[in-house]
């Protein structure tokens, strides 16, 4: 264990199982000595989370579909843990039928759901979190290159990720007055519960790996390490930015 994040309390949103990118973040945060507060979507997710975490790890329920849930969750966090030093938002959702075929097939409802859960929730989380974030804190979200390139079947999620990345820049501007940094990590394709919902994801995964300079896929641990760096005081010069952690897929 190193001491990079010793004394820092980090809220981690989005672990559902050991394939989750957020779980890669949890491993990195703990390796660096952070205190991790896990939020989970509902009781079903909590059961899965409980199998991964230690008995004394802190958990707080937070379904980001409602603003009041987010408000209540951060009030509970303040009550139980006081001020915090960072938030990691590793949450996305779109109805399965929106992640196949063509964008013109998309419904208004799936657009709304994808944007609310995958983009607006980040703004809503920042609004509540800033009330209890210490100066020098850091907020990070997870995004994907489908925001700036047309990736087959990603469709509505590509639009939501573009919106999420724009929100990173605006939030960085707003929260700078509190000395809070806001960034995004653009992960390469990784097989997870969420990504398995994208039609043809297996091919996308194989294609991504062949396009990396070393011909390898990125791991959740590698993504987690970069997120831990963004939570740390080593990254105080970075805000409003996007860091690719994809083994170089985006260069080709
Ligand atoms: P995952 O399924 O492990 O995690 C998704 C999480 O979102 C789950 O914990 C789920 O409970 C949570 N979630 C969904 N709806 C929610 C709600 N209403 N309230 C609270 N939580 C909710 O999948 P993942 O791939 O680890 O996804 C994490 C993030 O990484 C997402 O933003 C995803 O878009 C992004 N990402 C994934 C990949 C990939 O290839 N897997 C690549 C780039 C970016």
């Amino acid at each position: 264990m190193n001491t990079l994040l010793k004394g820092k309390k980090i809220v981690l949103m989005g672990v559902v199982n050991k394939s989750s990118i957020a779980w890669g973040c949890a491993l990195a945060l703990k390796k660096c000595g952070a205190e991790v507060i896990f939020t989970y979507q509902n009781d079903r997710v909590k059961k899965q989370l409980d199998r991964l975490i230690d008995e004394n790890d802190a958990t707080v329920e937070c379904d980001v579909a409602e603003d009041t849930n987010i408000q209540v969750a951060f009030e509970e966090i303040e009550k139980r843990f006081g001020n915090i030093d960072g938030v990691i938002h590793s949450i996305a959702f779109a109805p399965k039928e929106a992640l196949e075929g063509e964008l013109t097939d998309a419904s208004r409802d799936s657009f709304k759901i994808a944007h609310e859960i995958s983009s607006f929730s980040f703004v809503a989380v920042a609004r509540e979190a800033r009330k209890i974030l210490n100066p020098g804190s850091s907020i990070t979200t997870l995004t994907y290159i489908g925001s700036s390139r047309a990736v087959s079947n990603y469709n509505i999620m590509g639009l939501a990720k573009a919106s999420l990345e724009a929100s990173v820049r605006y939030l960085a501007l707003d929260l700078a007055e509190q000395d809070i940094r806001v960034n995004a990590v653009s992960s390469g394709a990784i097989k997870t519960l969420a990504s398995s919902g994208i039609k043809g994801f297996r091919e996308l995964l194989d294609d991504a790996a062949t396009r990396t300079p070393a011909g390898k896929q990125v791991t959740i641990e590698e993504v987690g390490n970069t997120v831990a760096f963004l939570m740390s005081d080593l990254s105080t010069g970075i805000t409003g930015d996007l860091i690719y952690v994809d083994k170089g897929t985006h260069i080709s």
Side-chain angles (χ1 to χ4, degrees):
M1 186 164 112
N2 65 58
T3 55
L4 189 63
L5 297 173
K6 198 169 174 350
K8 289 199 189 283
K9 276 180 250 170
I10 313 284
V11 173
L12 176 55
M13 314 181 79
V15 178
V16 62
N17 57 34
K18 67 175 175 25
S19 304
S20 293
I21 290 176
W23 183 242
C25 298
L27 297 174
L29 294 176
K30 290 198 165 200
K31 193 172 66 185
C32 296
E35 183 184 337
V36 185
I37 301 160
F38 293 87
T39 75
Y40 58 90
Q41 183 181 356
N42 53 35
D43 289 345
R44 194 175 40 81
V45 173
K46 170 105 172 26
K47 274 193 194 132
Q48 291 180 262
L49 177 63
D50 282 344
R51 284 190 217 120
L52 293 176
I53 61 178
D54 298 333
E55 242 168 52
N56 48 359
D57 276 326
T59 59
V60 175
E61 182 168 0
C62 186
D63 181 337
V64 299
E66 298 288 339
D67 286 347
T68 42
N69 297 345
I70 302 172
Q71 190 189 337
V72 167
F74 278 88
E75 282 170 2
E76 182 183 337
I77 290 168
E78 181 181 25
K79 216 174 275 166
R80 286 171 58 191
F81 311 101
N83 282 2
I84 56 172
D85 304 285
V87 179
I88 299 161
H89 173 276
S90 187
I91 290 174
F93 179 77
K96 202 169 164 42
E97 65 272 16
L99 299 170
E100 61 180 40
E102 299 184 356
L103 182 60
T104 48
D105 296 331
S107 69
R108 190 177 290 264
D109 264 359
S110 57
F111 178 94
K112 206 173 125 192
I113 293 167
H115 282 72
E116 278 198 12
I117 305 299
S118 316
S119 175
F120 182 75
S121 71
F122 186 56
V123 177
V125 163
R127 176 166 54 223
E128 297 308 322
R130 74 185 297 186
K131 297 175 186 168
I132 58 168
L133 278 163
N134 287 317
S137 292
S138 174
I139 307 182
T140 297
T141 188
L142 270 299
T143 188
Y144 180 60
I145 200 169
S147 60
S148 52
R149 294 205 194 156
V151 175
S152 295
N153 300 311
Y154 202 60
N155 298 338
I156 284 276
M157 274 306 298
L159 279 61
K161 290 300 193 192
S163 156
L164 176 71
E165 289 170 22
S167 78
V168 165
R169 294 183 284 272
Y170 282 96
L171 290 171
L173 196 63
D174 290 351
L175 273 59
E177 66 186 20
Q178 280 179 248
D179 191 17
I180 298 168
R181 295 175 293 112
V182 186
N183 290 291
V185 165
S186 187
S187 168
I190 298 177
K191 189 169 165 33
T192 62
L193 195 62
S195 64
S196 304
I198 304 164
K199 189 158 186 252
F201 187 73
R202 183 74 254 171
E203 292 83 68
L204 195 152
L205 207 56
D206 293 342
D207 177 60
T210 56
R211 281 194 293 112
T212 62
K216 284 185 191 157
Q217 282 162 10
V218 74
T219 66
I220 58 165
E221 289 81 5
E222 288 172 320
V223 178
N225 286 342
T226 301
V227 173
F229 158 74
L230 284 172
M231 290 293 118
S232 83
D233 296 342
L234 292 182
S235 62
T236 52
I238 306 174
T239 194
D241 220 334
L242 182 157
I243 301 180
Y244 286 99
V245 185
D246 64 355
K247 292 276 197 199
T249 312
H250 71 283
I251 65 171
S252 66

